[in-house]
Amino acid sequence: MAEELKETREEFEKELEASLEKAETNESAVWARLEQMKEEGTILSLTVGGVVKGGVIVYVEGVRGFIPASLLSAKYVEDLNVWLQKDVEAKIITVEEENQRLVLSAKAAAKEKEKKEKEEKIAQLQVGTVIEGTVENIMPYGAFVDIGDGISGLVHISQFSKKRIKSPEEMVKEGQQVKVKIQKVADGKVSLSMKAIEEDEEAAKKAKEVGVEYTEEATGTSLGDLLANIKL
């Protein structure tokens, strides 16, 4: 009888040990996935499951995560209780398996989403389009012009006029409405030109003088190319 009890106890201990090892392995795998999500910048759709001092609690892969109040929204959060059971999108910013610490940021996710939306809008801009904008910031190398929909582009100092200028302030001032031509769209940046509009107007005027139609399609074509086959 004692022998049977001993065997039973040993079997139980082995099963318990195996179970604990399996649980530990599974937990490590979960933390590894959380680390991967962090590295990849994955935006997670979560539900606020609790409110604590200084932030809220969410669960990711069964792991308790914390979103500080300062990272819960782009705006100041006055009452955390209104966020209880509310859906949020957040990115993991801290993974510490040894301390069982998981921290997320909804603000970072919102900024990432905003950035992607802006990049999509910029990608839809058509090079050669003339548009009105507002000078919002003047720098020694050029001026940034707000062309609407949250998009700004740079008019480089070389793109203000055909004549040389020493400073953008010779041509524009902050708050001024200006017409600009989209010269280039690349890597989420927009290059603008006022000089190109001046050149287009000159080309149109010269073309008119010699009886050549200068259309939208001709915009950006040099006067030499435009008149190449015209006998004067």
Side-chain angles (χ1 to χ4, degrees):
M1 184 70 176
E3 219 26 68
E4 290 178 0
L5 288 172
K6 182 181 178 183
E7 288 178 4
T8 303
R9 186 171 64 252
E10 287 177 350
E11 288 176 4
F12 173 76
E13 288 175 351
K14 285 180 181 179
E15 289 178 2
L16 179 61
E17 186 178 347
S19 178
L20 290 173
E21 285 179 358
K22 185 178 179 181
E24 189 175 334
T25 300
N26 290 340
E27 185 179 359
S28 293
V30 169
W31 282 96
R33 287 198 297 273
L34 294 175
E35 181 64 38
Q36 186 177 359
M37 290 177 190
K38 175 196 165 189
E39 294 301 319
E40 294 177 352
T42 305
I43 294 179
L44 304 166
S45 295
L46 307 165
T47 301
V48 175
V51 174
V52 294
K53 184 179 180 181
V56 299
I57 300 301
V58 291
Y59 287 88
V60 186
E61 299 269 337
V63 177
R64 186 177 187 267
F66 177 65
I67 304 179
S70 60
L71 299 179
L72 190 54
S73 173
K75 298 178 181 179
Y76 175 71
V77 177
E78 188 171 351
D79 184 6
L80 288 171
N81 290 304
V82 301
W83 288 81
L84 189 60
Q85 296 304 314
K86 188 175 181 180
D87 293 334
V88 295
E89 290 187 334
K91 291 174 66 174
I92 297 172
I93 59 173
T94 302
V95 177
E96 295 179 359
E97 181 181 357
E98 62 278 12
N99 297 319
Q100 297 289 293
R101 185 167 178 258
L102 181 67
V103 182
L104 302 93
S105 172
K107 185 186 287 187
K111 285 185 177 180
E112 180 70 22
K113 193 173 181 180
E114 185 181 327
K115 181 184 175 184
K116 286 182 179 179
E117 289 175 351
K118 186 176 181 180
E119 287 174 349
E120 288 173 1
K121 290 177 184 177
I122 289 175
Q124 291 172 7
L125 294 175
Q126 296 295 315
V127 172
T129 303
V130 175
I131 191 169
E132 285 194 356
T134 305
V135 178
E136 60 180 1
N137 193 17
I138 298 176
M139 306 296 287
Y141 53 83
F144 288 94
V145 177
D146 179 358
I147 58 175
D149 215 6
I151 301 172
S152 293
L154 174 67
V155 181
H156 189 266
I157 192 169
S158 64
Q159 293 298 316
F160 278 98
S161 174
K162 290 178 68 177
K163 65 180 183 181
R164 283 180 70 100
I165 61 172
K166 293 182 178 179
S167 169
E169 292 176 329
E170 294 178 33
M171 301 294 298
V172 295
K173 61 182 180 180
E174 289 186 10
Q176 181 180 338
Q177 294 288 117
V178 293
K179 277 189 177 182
V180 290
K181 184 176 181 179
I182 299 174
Q183 290 287 87
K184 185 179 178 182
V185 178
D187 301 322
K189 296 179 181 179
V190 183
S191 298
L192 305 170
S193 175
M194 292 169 64
K195 181 173 76 172
I197 296 176
E198 183 183 346
E199 291 173 338
D200 290 343
E201 289 174 348
E202 283 188 11
K205 183 178 179 182
K206 293 287 186 181
K208 187 176 181 181
E209 288 175 359
V210 295
V212 178
E213 185 179 2
Y214 189 78
T215 64
E216 287 282 335
E217 289 73 21
T219 301
T221 304
S222 69
L223 184 60
D225 290 338
L226 187 66
L227 304 180
N229 299 316
I230 303 296
K231 293 182 179 180
L232 303 178

